[in-house]
Amino acid sequence: MDEKLEAKIEYRFKNRDLLKTAVTHTSYANEHRKEGCRHNERLEFLGDAVLEAISSEFLFRKYPDKMEGELSKTRASMVCEPSLAKCARDLGLPAYLRLGKGEEQMGGRSKDSIISDAVEAVIGAIYLDGGFEEAKKFVMNHVLLDLHEEDLFKDEKTKLQEVIQDQKEKVTYRLISEVGPDHDKKFTVAAYVGDEEIGVGTGRTKKAAAQAAALMALSAMKKE
């Protein structure tokens, strides 16, 4: 398993326990607590920060004339949950996740929230094992690879509305849920055309969740 996954992510670990932890969900760790099994949430926390730094530097250097607001919006859409989930699927990462029996039965391998977190955990693991430059290489090659220049500064909500405009409809967004303490909230927002739900997304802010919902709707439309 380790060598196949390393080949996909194009990085060979010196400490393979880090990779094993990166693909271990809390549900698996809880079922194997007596074995001292560790889950990937701490690596996810670290990887999120490393990813933000790398994507920020990328935008800062590539677009010297863009203002902070534009850069922030673009970064949020680049590294939102659906974008990272797509990256995970492109890498075949879901097949390598260690999930608890219950989570497995509930389709955990197909949940964007779980597989996007695993990508961030892998970034954190690479950072600890090989340093910032190796983490940056992974992010540039696998996370930021499919950026389209002409769409980069057009946020997902704008792109979705442009698509829906052909149908003379307006996209609306509704807050579905808000969970967690004040310092670590997670919002879920759904995008609607009329009464039809066309996409659902989560994020650490309502705006980020709405962008994720728009991206999910766009992804669903492309598949159709």
Side-chain angles (χ1 to χ4, degrees):
M1 182 272 268
D2 289 336
E3 288 184 1
K4 288 182 180 178
L5 182 52
E6 285 177 332
K8 286 178 180 291
I9 66 176
E10 299 179 296
Y11 178 76
R12 184 173 292 277
F13 278 83
K14 296 183 280 292
N15 179 3
R16 281 187 170 163
D17 285 342
L18 283 169
L19 179 58
K20 189 178 288 186
T21 301
V23 297
T24 302
H25 188 251
T26 49
S27 59
Y28 184 95
N30 288 338
E31 288 180 9
H32 296 79
R33 196 173 297 167
K34 290 182 180 178
E35 302 161 29
C37 185
R38 295 182 177 181
H39 58 72
N40 64 6
E41 286 187 355
R42 280 170 54 83
L43 284 175
E44 177 210 336
F45 164 79
L46 178 61
D48 176 61
V50 174
L51 176 58
E52 184 169 312
I54 293 167
S55 56
S56 297
E57 181 191 357
F58 168 80
L59 291 171
F60 182 84
R61 292 186 184 281
K62 190 170 179 66
Y63 300 99
D65 299 325
K66 299 293 182 184
M67 300 302 289
E68 182 270 342
E70 283 184 291
L71 295 173
S72 294
K73 283 181 184 177
T74 304
R75 183 183 62 200
S77 65
M78 282 163 56
V79 297
C80 67
E81 187 176 284
S83 295
L84 293 177
K86 179 184 181 302
C87 168
R89 293 187 179 100
D90 289 345
L91 286 167
L93 186 59
Y96 296 94
L97 296 182
R98 301 204 296 174
L99 302 175
K101 293 175 184 175
E103 192 59 64
E104 187 78 73
Q105 290 170 356
M106 290 190 293
R109 288 182 199 280
S110 63
K111 291 180 182 177
D112 280 8
S113 57
I114 290 177
I115 64 176
S116 63
D117 287 350
V119 172
E120 291 182 329
V122 167
I123 294 169
I126 293 173
Y127 172 77
L128 287 179
D129 192 73
F132 185 80
E133 287 305 315
E134 290 295 339
K136 183 176 179 179
K137 195 184 299 181
F138 171 81
V139 170
M140 296 303 295
N141 288 342
H142 297 289
V143 181
L144 306 183
L145 185 64
D146 292 328
L147 297 176
H148 299 291
E149 189 91 21
E150 67 275 12
D151 285 336
L152 197 54
F153 281 89
K154 201 183 281 182
D155 66 33
E156 308 306 329
K157 290 173 70 176
T158 302
K159 293 178 200 172
L160 179 60
Q161 188 57 59
E162 287 177 353
V163 172
I164 298 299
Q165 255 170 355
D166 294 339
Q167 306 167 23
K168 297 182 179 176
E169 297 276 6
K170 183 172 173 59
V171 184
T172 59
Y173 296 87
R174 302 175 198 170
L175 180 66
I176 303 299
S177 69
E178 180 180 330
V179 297
D182 287 342
H183 69 279
D184 190 24
K185 277 197 181 297
K186 206 163 215 180
F187 298 90
T188 300
V189 169
Y192 287 85
V193 172
D195 293 325
E196 182 188 357
E197 182 185 289
I198 59 171
V200 178
T202 62
R204 290 186 172 88
T205 65
K206 292 175 189 175
K207 287 182 179 179
Q211 292 287 350
L215 181 58
M216 185 63 74
L218 286 165
S219 298
M221 288 175 185
K222 283 177 184 174
K223 286 177 186 174
E224 291 172 5

